[in-house]
Amino acid sequence: MATIELRPDSHGKVRDIYDCGDSLLMVASDRVSAFDFILPDEIPYKGEILTRISAFWFNKFADLIPNHIISTDVADYPAEYQQYADYLTGRSMLVKKATTIPIEAIVRGYLTGSGKKTYDQNGTVCGIKLPDGLVEASKIPEAIFTPSTKAALGDHDENISYERCAEIVGEETAQLLRDNSLKIYNAAAEYAATRGIIIADTKFEFGFIDGKFSLIDECLTPDSSRFWPAEGYVPGHVQPSYDKQFVRDWLKANWDMQGQPPHLPQEIIEGTSKRYQEAFQIITGEEFKPMKES
């Protein structure tokens, strides 16, 4: 696959960001991260699927909250990027610059993952007391806002309470984070239910663009969310998913978390790509067809 020969101004776990002066070019690679490691293998079409799903949600919720998208059409990008159209098509977006808020805005509608771990210890998630008797994949009576810190590459995010979030960013911004995260999650969960998908939890990022509180980065993708099929959903066990949990489960069974992560077997790579494609199709209602072949 061709790549951009220019050096990115920011190199993340999955995305590369290029500074275009008054805007940014965000490019989603096919890299996959798990447990805060970038894995040595890529997932075919992953970057395109993440970008196109994000664009779908940004467009769907444009009336709910401002977002950072300018264009996903390479023809609208600065001239020096036009020669990379084959690589950029489908996997990139030109966005407005934002003053980012240093908080991962996480919403949980179901009990799983790190939330389940702390619930089992003391009945709470990020300081929020939940009812007794919940099990793996239980629906939480009302979706909860459970923020975390945004760690530097290679470090671990840390779950924090709402009160700690308010100490970091101020009460007014913390309220904006909580209220808008819950509003978007609830709207997305309601829509997803009509498509046979449960959104167990998700992570948003926000910033200020020209003083306006705005949704940025990615939105409700298989990388930032847990998507479960509604058909066959039964609490009490880990649910099948359309996200990279497939990769996490294989790593937990085959790696001791020491040193660098191992290569993924071909069936895990292909199975993960298939799950991402299924998520795209179910959420958008369109069959996934690559805009450019890898």
Side-chain angles (χ1 to χ4, degrees):
M1 177 189 290
T3 57
I4 300 179
E5 294 171 2
L6 304 174
R7 179 186 293 274
D9 294 279
S10 175
H11 181 73
K13 293 173 186 172
V14 173
R15 285 172 181 76
D16 294 326
I17 299 176
Y18 300 83
D19 192 325
C20 302
D22 57 357
S23 60
L24 299 173
L25 181 63
M26 294 178 57
V27 183
S29 72
D30 290 340
R31 296 190 296 269
V32 61
S33 69
F35 306 112
D36 294 315
F37 285 89
I38 298 172
L39 304 189
D41 304 285
E42 295 189 339
I43 305 299
Y45 306 120
K46 177 175 174 285
E48 180 175 344
I49 290 168
L50 294 182
T51 299
R52 290 172 64 183
I53 288 178
S54 283
F56 170 84
W57 291 113
F58 281 134
N59 181 63
K60 187 170 183 62
F61 296 142
D63 292 338
L64 275 184
I65 183 170
N67 65 65
H68 66 167
I69 282 191
I70 297 171
S71 179
T72 57
D73 186 345
V74 179
D76 296 330
Y77 297 177
E80 63 264 36
Y81 297 98
Q82 301 293 322
Q83 62 184 304
Y84 305 113
D86 278 357
Y87 178 67
L88 292 173
T89 296
R91 67 171 63 246
S92 61
M93 56 177 71
L94 191 67
V95 302
K96 301 170 188 172
K97 286 186 172 180
T99 302
T100 59
I101 298 167
I103 295 290
E104 301 276 13
I106 298 167
V107 179
R108 302 173 194 265
Y110 292 75
L111 189 63
T112 191
S114 63
K116 171 71 164 51
K117 193 176 294 185
T118 58
Y119 173 82
D120 287 346
Q121 292 169 351
N122 55 31
T124 70
V125 179
C126 290
I128 300 171
K129 183 78 174 77
L130 296 182
D132 294 337
L134 300 183
V135 296
E136 170 65 36
S138 283
K139 190 176 192 306
I140 298 170
E142 188 173 332
I144 56 175
F145 173 66
T146 58
S148 79
T149 58
K150 285 177 65 172
L153 187 62
D155 293 334
H156 294 278
D157 295 341
E158 178 189 353
N159 291 337
I160 58 176
S161 66
Y162 174 80
E163 289 73 23
R164 177 64 184 136
C165 173
E167 288 176 5
I168 294 170
V169 300
E171 180 64 37
E172 183 178 352
T173 298
Q175 286 183 15
L176 285 170
L177 288 170
R178 179 191 61 198
D179 295 351
N180 283 279
S181 296
L182 290 168
K183 178 173 67 174
I184 300 165
Y185 171 83
N186 287 326
E190 183 178 340
Y191 166 79
T194 70
R195 307 289 305 165
I197 289 266
I198 292 169
I199 303 178
D201 53 35
T202 196
K203 173 181 69 179
F204 300 112
E205 295 200 32
F206 296 95
F208 289 96
I209 300 173
D210 298 329
K212 285 188 177 180
F213 184 81
S214 303
L215 183 61
I216 63 172
D217 197 57
E218 64 182 316
C219 184
L220 293 153
T221 72
D223 258 24
S224 65
S225 318
R226 283 186 175 92
F227 294 135
W228 298 339
E231 184 178 357
Y233 163 73
V234 179
H237 62 86
V238 175
Q239 306 296 305
S241 66
Y242 293 109
D243 52 62
K244 64 180 178 183
Q245 192 62 41
F246 189 56
V247 171
R248 291 192 195 100
D249 291 344
W250 185 88
L251 287 171
K252 282 193 283 189
N254 294 277
W255 181 41
D256 61 5
M257 305 294 169
Q258 300 299 312
Q260 291 301 305
H263 283 279
L264 301 173
Q266 193 60 31
E267 64 265 24
I268 297 296
I269 293 172
E270 292 173 359
T272 304
S273 182
K274 182 181 176 184
R275 281 165 170 77
Y276 277 66
Q277 291 175 51
E278 288 174 351
F280 175 89
Q281 185 165 332
I282 293 169
I283 289 167
T284 67
E286 300 175 28
E287 180 183 356
F288 176 72
K289 294 181 179 178
M291 296 177 73
K292 291 285 183 181
E293 284 296 327
S294 291

